Amino acid sequence: MNILKTLLHPRVVLLSIFLMVICSLGAQDIHFSQYYNVPMNLNPALTGVFDGDMRFVGNFREQWRNVPITYRTAYGSFETKFKSRNAKKGLPENGYFSGGLLMNFDHAGDSRMGTIQIGLNGSYTHKLTETNYLTAGVQVSGNQRSFDTEKLTFGEQYNGKQFDSSLGPEPFNDKTAFYADFSVGANWNYRKKGKRTALNVGGALYHINQPNKSFWDEEDVVLPARWSFYGIGIMELTSKFDVVLSAMGWYQDAYTQNLLTAAGRFHLDTRPTHQRAIQLAFSYRFNDGFGVSDALIPAAQFHVNSWIFGLSYDINISDFEVATANLGGPELSVVYILKRVPTPEYCPTCPTYL
């Protein structure tokens, strides 16, 4: 019994080792429940697809705190449109380029098994008609994976009588791995003139080069390509109420993730510089088939002029609920959109009265 207690001491650490192995072999990318608030993770072609000139996005997610092996994930991005001189003056243009910078970060367990991604996005949006736009985008990123063994324990540290921290396996020579990544995507955007009604439909292919993410040179651990498809629509029903419907699917080797979201957006004030709105949403996440449930996700958004604040919570309903007690985790997001004032073609001289 003492031997068993020693090998399982502490239980959380051994569970961390198990999860570390799963993470190192699995094919699952970083993901968020508020997929609509991490645009450049959803599709490089969503870079620059918004009503404004610059967009700043931040997102933080924590899940499985009840296990208690927590997963913490953060996302941050900045994007801007490179408009022509005519566009800056408020004149028509047939298209524009956009660029963006993004960062993803996550870690889990006592091993702090994690990934840091820094990527550059570029896109071109072409105006097809007054209401239809087509965008093509690319993403190039550098990624670093790492882990830490300082808080881990191993069976070799049992000396036959008790736990001895001075013992252990051979030291790990490589605790970090770096690889470059390349992705592409396309997006179709519809905007109804004079209305809030809009629709984005698109798809992307991530990890086209299928990089090797192994910690050891003699071993190949290929990151499989991931397909991403989505549709996000807003329908203005009245001057004060919109219906928001969206769907998203990720397909990466044996791993799949699908989300369906329905929301209602209530506009409290629509006057310029006084805009206020509340959005209440509910999402259902499932894997493989519609009946293979993963989570129910209530969410809320608060729109204040150029700011959007989002809050959601995962209610785990998968087989893992035995460990989570249905507790998934919270997710917070903030979006800020900056709009420039068009430069006038001329500045009339005001009359002077003496």
Side-chain angles (χ1 to χ4, degrees):
M1 182 63 67
N2 290 333
I3 295 177
L4 181 60
K5 288 183 178 179
T6 301
L7 292 178
L8 294 178
H9 175 75
R11 290 175 297 173
V12 173
V13 172
L14 290 182
L15 183 56
S16 298
I17 297 173
F18 171 75
L19 290 176
M20 182 188 73
V21 173
I22 294 298
C23 289
S24 64
L25 297 179
Q28 180 177 351
D29 274 359
I30 292 173
H31 65 277
F32 293 90
S33 294
Q34 297 182 43
Y35 56 93
Y36 40 82
N37 281 335
V38 286
M40 292 196 287
N41 272 11
L42 190 57
N43 190 346
L46 285 174
T47 306
V49 181
F50 58 94
D51 184 16
D53 296 283
M54 296 182 183
R55 178 165 61 180
F56 301 81
V57 180
N59 193 298
F60 176 78
R61 172 181 173 84
E62 184 177 78
Q63 60 180 345
W64 297 347
R65 189 178 185 86
N66 198 52
V67 173
I69 306 303
T70 57
Y71 282 70
R72 294 186 177 93
T73 309
Y75 167 93
S77 67
F78 163 75
E79 56 199 296
T80 184
K81 298 177 182 178
F82 303 113
K83 291 192 174 183
S84 64
R85 183 175 299 179
N86 285 342
K88 292 178 181 179
K89 294 179 179 180
L91 301 177
E93 62 175 349
N94 293 324
Y96 59 89
F97 288 95
S98 300
L101 174 68
L102 70 90
M103 186 192 77
N104 282 295
F105 166 80
D106 80 328
H107 70 79
D110 290 334
S111 68
R112 297 186 66 83
M113 181 74 180
T115 302
I116 297 176
Q117 177 194 29
I118 297 178
L120 289 173
N121 278 25
S123 70
Y124 177 74
T125 298
H126 181 69
K127 181 179 179 181
L128 301 174
T129 66
E130 289 297 322
T131 57
N132 292 275
Y133 300 80
L134 185 63
T135 303
V138 298
Q139 180 183 106
V140 179
S141 67
N143 303 261
Q144 178 180 285
R145 301 176 71 231
S146 63
F147 65 94
D148 187 359
T149 59
E150 182 178 350
K151 295 184 179 180
L152 300 181
T153 60
F154 302 87
E156 291 90 336
Q157 292 175 297
Y158 174 71
N159 62 14
K161 295 182 179 180
Q162 61 184 5
F163 178 80
D164 186 349
S165 61
S166 65
L167 301 177
E170 292 294 325
F172 293 90
N173 294 323
D174 298 312
K175 297 181 182 179
T176 61
F178 177 85
Y179 59 91
D181 199 6
F182 181 69
S183 308
V184 298
N187 180 79
W188 169 65
N189 173 249
Y190 167 80
R191 309 174 193 172
K192 190 172 183 179
K193 290 295 182 180
K195 297 288 185 179
R196 296 186 298 267
T197 298
L199 176 65
N200 280 293
V201 177
L205 177 59
Y206 285 83
H207 322 309
I208 292 178
N209 54 322
Q210 298 191 39
N212 180 15
K213 61 175 185 175
S214 174
F215 290 105
W216 298 276
D217 295 335
E218 62 273 12
E219 180 181 355
D220 289 340
V221 180
V222 174
L223 180 62
R226 169 170 64 86
W227 287 97
S228 170
F229 301 101
Y230 60 88
I232 303 173
I234 303 173
M235 181 179 295
E236 179 181 338
L237 295 185
T238 71
S239 61
K240 297 290 186 178
F241 182 71
D242 302 337
V243 170
V244 183
L245 300 174
S246 60
M248 184 274 289
W250 281 11
Y251 308 98
Q252 186 176 23
D253 201 17
Y255 174 76
T256 65
Q257 177 180 248
N258 304 279
L259 275 131
L260 299 175
T261 302
R265 184 177 299 172
F266 306 88
H267 293 267
L268 308 178
D269 196 335
T270 58
R271 295 175 297 164
T273 72
H274 292 78
Q275 292 99 331
R276 301 287 189 276
I278 297 176
Q279 178 175 306
L280 301 177
F282 195 82
S283 299
Y284 171 59
R285 183 168 61 231
F286 58 97
N287 303 322
D288 298 324
F290 184 79
V292 186
S293 303
D294 184 40
L296 300 175
I297 309 163
Q301 282 192 356
F302 306 92
H303 297 244
V304 182
N305 292 325
S306 299
W307 293 89
I308 302 174
F309 302 94
L311 170 65
S312 63
Y313 191 89
D314 286 18
I315 302 172
N316 179 252
I317 56 174
S318 70
D319 293 339
F320 197 46
E321 66 181 353
V322 175
T324 64
N326 298 119
L327 300 178
E331 184 173 318
L332 304 172
S333 65
V334 59
V335 180
Y336 176 71
I337 297 177
L338 177 65
K339 296 182 180 181
R340 297 190 184 99
V341 178
T343 304
E345 294 185 77
Y346 64 93
C347 182
T349 302
C350 296
T352 302
Y353 299 97
L354 298 177

